[in-house]
Amino acid sequence: MGTETVRAQATDEVTERRREQRGWYFYDWACSVYSTSVLTVFLGPYLTAVAKHAADADGFVHPLGIPVRAGSFFAYAVSASVILSIFVMPMAGAAADRTGRKKPLLALCAYLGAAATTGMFFLDGDRYLLGGLLLIVANASVAVSMVLYNSYLPQIAPPEERDAVSSRGWAFGYAAGSLMLVVNLVLYSAHDSFGVSESTAVRICLASAGIWWGAFTLVPLKRLRDRPTAAAGQAPGHGWRQLAATVRDMRGKPLTLAFLLAYLVYNDGIQTVISQASVYGSEELGLSQSTLIVAVLLVQVLAVGGALGMGRLARTYGAKRTILGSLVAWTVTLGAGYFLPAGAPVWFFVLAAGIGLVLGGSQALSRSLFSHLVPSGKEAEYFSAYEMSDRGMSWLGPLLFGLTYQLTGSYRDAIISLVAFFVIGFVLLARVPVRQAVHDAGNPVPDRI
């Protein structure tokens, strides 16, 4: 084979890899509007208001006959969605590895979640149970879809590109969230001009996120390609049994497990801040929905630069040190949030800016760092365990947040309780020798990690 032929083949491979990477970015673009517009901005305050409308004289609703303070219902529904995803994610990851067919599973999860999100248009009056059900379906669907999405990363990017590719994916997601929030802000702020009520405007914003999610999922489904795996043809396990098999396999790589434990803890704090910040702003600080939209828009815009900037820092200082620095910033920012004065949008915007600068980078670098710890051929199975740490085990934070509010009646106490996740996560991550962990997984060790 001649030199020119080899060079042409290498060029074609790079071109195909870049095309596939660009398609991969678009799933972040597609599903991030759910996380931003639905989970972070609109659904928390709106579902809380619907639950309060359905509450009894003491402020409690009674799903399945269980007395629940209306202000805690949203947090409990988030926890329930995460618990459901625990049962589904291991099966999805194992099925993807054993069949090599990730795209059909990704499509199923994406469109189930998009349909549930679009159905939130019908959430009005006192239909808090409908809202809880749709939230559980949509949140579990996005969690399972992210198992499959993340498992493509080691296949579409060589080790030296993963920090940058992962960071660009997060940046795409935050850019999409920013664009959708601008549209949401215009509709919500000028709903009278559009001839719709405030409630209808919120429901349109919720449903539009589902339509966006479904439409842009077509791009990655067209560009990503499935690959045969070494595990193809093996009999799949089920639920907890499959998770147990994955964990047993990981026991041969204790440093990978150590990283997952650290990530489980500090990411639980991140996910809870994302899902509960709007409730804190509206219920404790008395801020308007428009103020919350602008604050989250600020987070999205700064998170684009933050994700890319922390990706550059990782090239100089390594992903682990950069993540540790972000956890310090999270702790300081969250502690400051406890002291925010009510009715002061400016200080809430300052807090939002602090969150935005570290949010995207801490998540993107965690994903790329874990990709180095995954044995070849077991990407989806290991990323199902990762996603359980990312979303599947992130029920502890919302549960603690909801319980703290139920017991104290104070959202300030609820928000400050989350500091523990960042402090403990920092300590656990600092103890992981990541270079040795990469070596033990059978992967080449990057110069900086």
Side-chain angles (χ1 to χ4, degrees), residues 12 27 95 97 101 105 158 170 188 201 217-218 220 234 295 304 318 320 335 341-342 371 415 420 449:
D12 289 343
Y27 191 68
D97 282 334
R101 291 174 57 80
L105 292 171
W170 281 106
Y188 180 82
T217 294
L218 293 172
Q234 297 179 14
V304 175
K320 177 184 173 181
S371 73
I415 203 74
I449 193 167

Side-chain angles (χ1 to χ4, degrees), residues 364-383:
L365 293 178
S366 296
R367 177 170 64 185
S368 61
L369 179 55
F370 182 72
S371 73
H372 294 285
L373 311 182
V374 177
S376 178
K378 296 187 175 182
E379 291 86 3
E381 187 175 341
Y382 270 56
F383 265 106

Side-chain angles (χ1 to χ4, degrees), residues 67-148:
V68 173
R69 191 185 291 270
S72 296
F73 179 74
F74 173 70
Y76 290 155
V78 172
S79 288
S81 71
V82 173
I83 292 171
L84 172 62
S85 66
I86 290 174
F87 290 92
V88 183
M89 285 191 291
M91 292 187 291
D97 282 334
R98 285 172 169 78
T99 64
R101 291 174 57 80
K102 299 177 184 178
K103 283 207 296 185
L105 292 171
L106 177 62
L108 174 63
C109 295
Y111 285 108
L112 181 61
T117 305
T118 304
M120 291 177 185
F121 178 80
F122 301 102
L123 175 59
D124 60 357
D126 58 359
R127 296 177 180 174
Y128 76 98
L129 285 176
L130 174 64
L133 176 62
L134 293 175
L135 167 60
I136 289 170
V137 172
N139 221 34
S141 295
V142 76
V144 178
S145 74
M146 291 302 290
V147 170
L148 305 163

Side-chain angles (χ1 to χ4, degrees), residues 25-266:
Y25 299 149
F26 265 92
Y27 191 68
D28 253 321
W29 175 274
C31 71
S32 290
V33 296
Y34 165 79
S35 298
T36 302
S37 291
V38 177
L39 198 61
T40 305
V41 177
F42 287 107
L43 189 57
Y46 185 72
L47 184 55
T48 299
V50 172
K52 287 184 174 180
H53 184 264
D56 59 22
D58 296 321
F60 285 81
V61 290
H62 300 268
L64 303 177
I66 302 170
V68 173
R69 191 185 291 270
S72 296
F73 179 74
F74 173 70
Y76 290 155
V78 172
S79 288
S81 71
V82 173
I83 292 171
L84 172 62
S85 66
I86 290 174
F87 290 92
V88 183
M89 285 191 291
M91 292 187 291
D97 282 334
R98 285 172 169 78
T99 64
R101 291 174 57 80
K102 299 177 184 178
K103 283 207 296 185
L105 292 171
L106 177 62
L108 174 63
C109 295
Y111 285 108
L112 181 61
T117 305
T118 304
M120 291 177 185
F121 178 80
F122 301 102
L123 175 59
D124 60 357
D126 58 359
R127 296 177 180 174
Y128 76 98
L129 285 176
L130 174 64
L133 176 62
L134 293 175
L135 167 60
I136 289 170
V137 172
N139 221 34
S141 295
V142 76
V144 178
S145 74
M146 291 302 290
V147 170
L148 305 163
Y149 168 71
N150 287 337
S151 69
Y152 277 101
L153 180 58
Q155 298 177 340
I156 65 173
E160 66 275 8
E161 293 183 4
R162 287 182 200 165
D163 285 348
V165 170
S166 183
S167 295
R168 289 190 198 111
W170 281 106
F172 261 62
Y174 286 119
S178 300
L179 179 60
M180 180 58 82
L181 276 180
V182 170
V183 176
N184 292 160
L185 181 60
V186 171
L187 174 61
Y188 180 82
S189 300
H191 60 84
D192 287 335
S193 301
F194 291 100
V196 297
S197 67
E198 180 179 312
S199 173
T200 301
V202 170
R203 292 187 290 116
I204 290 173
C205 291
L206 293 171
S208 65
I211 295 171
W212 177 290
W213 185 358
F216 284 104
T217 294
L218 293 172
V219 179
L221 291 180
K222 182 177 181 180
R223 292 198 172 188
L224 292 173
R225 59 187 179 89
D226 285 332
R227 296 163 172 83
T229 68
Q234 297 179 14
H238 298 280
W240 288 102
R241 190 175 71 191
Q242 179 57 53
L243 176 61
T246 303
V247 172
R248 281 197 301 272
D249 188 74
M250 283 186 175
R251 288 176 63 183
K253 298 164 185 65
L255 297 182
T256 299
L257 273 177
F259 172 81
L260 273 179
L261 176 61
Y263 182 66
L264 182 155
V265 174
Y266 71 74

Side-chain angles (χ1 to χ4, degrees), residues 269-343:
I270 293 175
Q271 295 297 326
T272 307
V273 172
I274 291 172
S275 66
Q276 304 302 322
S278 289
V279 175
Y280 180 69
S282 62
E283 297 295 321
E284 183 68 36
L285 303 182
L287 301 177
S288 68
Q289 187 73 66
S290 297
T291 297
L292 296 177
I293 296 173
V294 173
V296 175
L297 179 59
L298 179 62
V299 169
Q300 300 299 302
V301 172
L302 291 178
V304 175
L308 298 176
M310 286 182 64
R312 295 190 183 95
L313 286 175
R315 290 200 292 269
T316 302
Y317 300 103
K320 177 184 173 181
R321 289 183 179 178
T322 307
I323 294 169
L324 289 172
S326 76
L327 297 182
V328 173
W330 272 108
T331 302
V332 172
T333 302
L334 202 59
Y338 176 82
F339 297 101
L340 286 184

